Amino acid sequence: MSQKVLVTRRHIAELKQRAAQLENHTSDLHTIGLAPDNSSASCERPPESIPDNYHTPPEGDYPESELVNPLVSGPPAFMSPGNGRTYYLGTSSNWSFARRVLSAVHEHAHKESLPTEALVFEGTAYDLGWDGSRTDPSPESPVIPTLDHAIFLINAVKFRCGQLYHLFDDSDFMKSLYSFYSEGQRTRPRGLWYIHFLIILAFGKMFTHVKYLKGKPPGISLFVKALQILPDHTLLYSSPMVSTEILCCIAIFYQALDCRTASHNYVGQAMRMAMAHGMHTCMPVTELGRHSVERCRKIWWTVYILDRHMTSIQGLPQSVDDRFIQARLPSPEGSENMTNLDMHIKLCRSIADINATVYATDGRLNRTFLLNIKGALSNLAGLADDLNKSFPLRLEATDSGLSRVAAYLHLFYQQVGSSS
């Protein structure tokens, strides 16, 4: 009775490669077991050319090589500012990388560990005037601007964020806005829309005001009030679309306040709420209606982009595999920013691909590492051509300003490239 032998097609190609190298007395630098570029042809041989007693394992089960990424090898790294809290230094995080380099340089120069008390940690850049407790929120309502001022602030948010993220549905939001101002101050609603409204106003004040008052950013009182009256997820799940939009707004606002952990947490909540509502699927228009499906598509891709952003910033594993995402892009007639969204999604997929390839578990890299990173960088180079074509910076032009969207996407492209 013959025994089955577990072997991969790539391993056969590697054995042939090593034999050829030994016969030709090639350099030892070429004996790390990596097949050349033309080895893909042998890896794609038809199944009948493989003996019957060979079994090909699933893609990705290749044995580990001798390559190790020093950035993620060894035990996980932590840092404490001395206040009792400990911060995990994620692998792919630029913030974490800067702290590691700074610590290494300080230890080399001064022969002692870096005093963390002298460093600035997240959550300390601004004073929120709130400890996060919801046990006794202030019964006083914040000062609400007049209708024309509120519209001005909302338009500022549309200009600054609306071209890159979906934060609210314009038609439903503005309809509720006029209804809100038509009521008397004592009879105005205080539901989810009101919370959403406070956060959008907080964004608008942050964008339109320049001066900060004693370390407090403009609009912070509106943002804190919205968080204080934010209900439990039991109620949030009853209105998944507006609730997911609210969670995305909170995540972006927290990120602007340099509160990365809180931002990542709210994005995770938004992701799970969106998935629980099936926004990651190919939602049927005939059953759910065109408007709802288009809105869910915009919400989903905003959640997806924010999740990829925040996960990379934190240096953590990706929360959702792209293989399980079936959501379509919004229809061209339902979105004015299809080109922006498409490029944004491609960059997010690239950074997720690079993070998964470069920052492997325990720093151990399998034998396909160089091929995978070559493919990721090749894809990134292709995106550069599309980016320059669709979003030219035109730095040499003196008679026109710089597009905010173009500047943002180019900066994000550089971030993706630096992560590799």
Side-chain angles (χ1 to χ4, degrees):
M1 182 177 179
S2 61
Q3 295 182 346
K4 291 186 176 181
V5 179
L6 181 65
V7 67
T8 68
R9 298 175 184 174
R10 188 177 299 276
H11 187 56
I12 296 175
E14 290 172 352
L15 292 177
K16 292 182 178 180
Q17 173 73 12
R18 290 184 180 182
Q21 289 173 344
L22 291 175
E23 291 176 357
N24 297 327
H25 301 283
T26 57
S27 172
D28 291 339
L29 294 177
H30 296 286
T31 61
I32 60 176
L34 295 172
D37 294 341
N38 60 2
S39 65
S40 57
S42 61
C43 294
E44 299 297 328
R45 289 180 298 176
E48 57 270 16
S49 64
I50 305 296
D52 294 336
N53 63 334
Y54 284 178
H55 170 66
T56 302
E59 185 73 20
D61 288 351
Y62 302 116
E64 293 179 344
S65 69
E66 301 165 357
L67 299 173
V68 177
N69 186 344
L71 293 176
V72 292
S73 60
F78 295 85
M79 181 177 288
S80 175
N83 60 0
R85 180 177 175 180
T86 302
Y87 292 87
Y88 166 61
L89 301 183
T91 54
S92 62
S93 169
N94 289 337
W95 175 83
S96 171
F97 177 75
R99 289 298 165 93
R100 291 169 184 258
V101 172
L102 186 61
S103 297
V105 171
H106 187 278
E107 291 180 5
H108 178 77
H110 300 280
K111 309 304 179 183
E112 61 180 4
S113 300
L114 175 68
T116 56
E117 294 80 4
L119 300 174
V120 177
F121 287 81
E122 68 168 279
T124 59
Y126 303 101
D127 179 18
L128 275 64
W130 179 52
D131 62 358
S133 174
R134 292 192 178 94
T135 56
D136 188 22
S138 174
E140 299 180 0
S141 299
V143 178
I144 301 298
T146 60
L147 176 59
D148 55 347
H149 190 193
I151 294 176
F152 166 73
L153 296 176
I154 293 171
N155 287 334
V157 177
K158 290 181 183 179
F159 172 71
R160 293 294 187 96
C161 296
Q163 300 179 77
L164 293 167
Y165 302 104
H166 170 85
L167 300 184
F168 58 88
D169 183 78
D170 188 69
S171 60
D172 288 354
F173 190 87
M174 297 306 293
K175 181 180 178 180
S176 298
L177 175 73
Y178 290 115
S179 177
F180 175 83
Y181 276 94
S182 66
E183 299 287 343
Q185 292 187 1
R186 294 185 178 180
T187 59
R188 286 175 175 174
R190 295 292 188 270
L192 287 178
W193 179 89
Y194 178 69
I195 297 174
H196 203 177
F197 175 58
L198 292 179
I199 301 175
I200 296 300
L201 290 182
F203 269 118
K205 285 183 175 292
M206 179 181 288
F207 292 145
T208 57
H209 289 65
V210 179
K211 295 183 180 180
Y212 286 11
L213 180 62
K214 296 181 179 179
K216 293 185 178 181
I220 190 63
S221 60
L222 296 168
F223 178 70
V224 169
K225 184 64 178 180
L227 290 181
Q228 288 177 337
I229 62 177
L230 186 69
D232 182 75
H233 279 74
T234 304
L235 179 58
L236 292 178
Y237 276 113
S238 64
S239 302
M241 288 190 291
V242 65
S243 296
T244 307
E245 291 169 346
I246 290 174
L247 294 173
C248 288
C249 289
I250 295 175
I252 297 175
F253 204 98
Y254 262 131
Q255 176 62 23
L257 297 177
D258 193 33
C259 298
R260 295 181 301 275
T261 303
S263 176
H264 182 262
N265 181 48
Y266 276 101
V267 168
Q269 295 179 38
M271 174 68 76
R272 280 149 185 79
M273 184 168 295
M275 295 186 69
H277 190 59
M279 296 185 192
H280 65 295
T281 67
C282 184
M283 305 179 76
V285 176
T286 55
E287 297 180 18
L288 303 176
R290 170 66 62 181
H291 178 75
S292 295
V293 171
E294 288 295 321
R295 183 176 178 180
C296 286
R297 288 172 179 175
K298 296 175 185 177
I299 293 173
W300 168 256
W301 290 114
T302 291
V303 173
Y304 176 89
I305 290 170
L306 289 176
D307 177 74
R308 292 297 188 261
H309 269 294
M310 304 309 176
T311 299
S312 177
I313 290 174
Q314 288 288 93
L316 300 175
Q318 301 297 327
S319 56
V320 179
D321 194 323
D322 282 349
R323 294 176 300 171
F324 302 103
I325 298 175
Q326 301 173 338
R328 298 179 180 177
L329 294 178
S331 60
E333 60 272 14
S335 176
E336 300 177 356
N337 308 301
M338 281 297 299
T339 306
N340 306 350
L341 178 61
D342 184 57
M343 178 56 65
H344 212 168
I345 293 173
K346 288 179 179 178
L347 290 173
C348 286
R349 285 175 172 166
S350 290
I351 198 171
D353 187 22
I354 291 174
N355 288 345
T357 302
V358 177
Y359 304 96
T361 305
D362 297 329
R364 302 299 302 178
L365 307 175
N366 61 27
R367 297 185 186 277
T368 64
F369 168 72
L370 290 184
L371 295 176
N372 290 339
I373 197 63
K374 179 181 177 181
L377 293 178
S378 176
N379 176 66
L380 190 61
L383 289 180
D385 296 334
D386 295 339
L387 185 63
N388 292 322
K389 180 179 179 180
S390 301
F391 304 94
L393 291 179
R394 305 187 188 280
L395 299 177
E396 69 283 355
T398 58
D399 57 347
S400 61
L402 185 64
S403 167
R404 296 183 61 86
V405 174
Y408 175 87
L409 293 176
H410 277 271
L411 286 174
F412 186 30
Y413 176 84
Q414 296 300 324
Q415 178 188 346
V416 176
S418 65
S419 65
S420 61

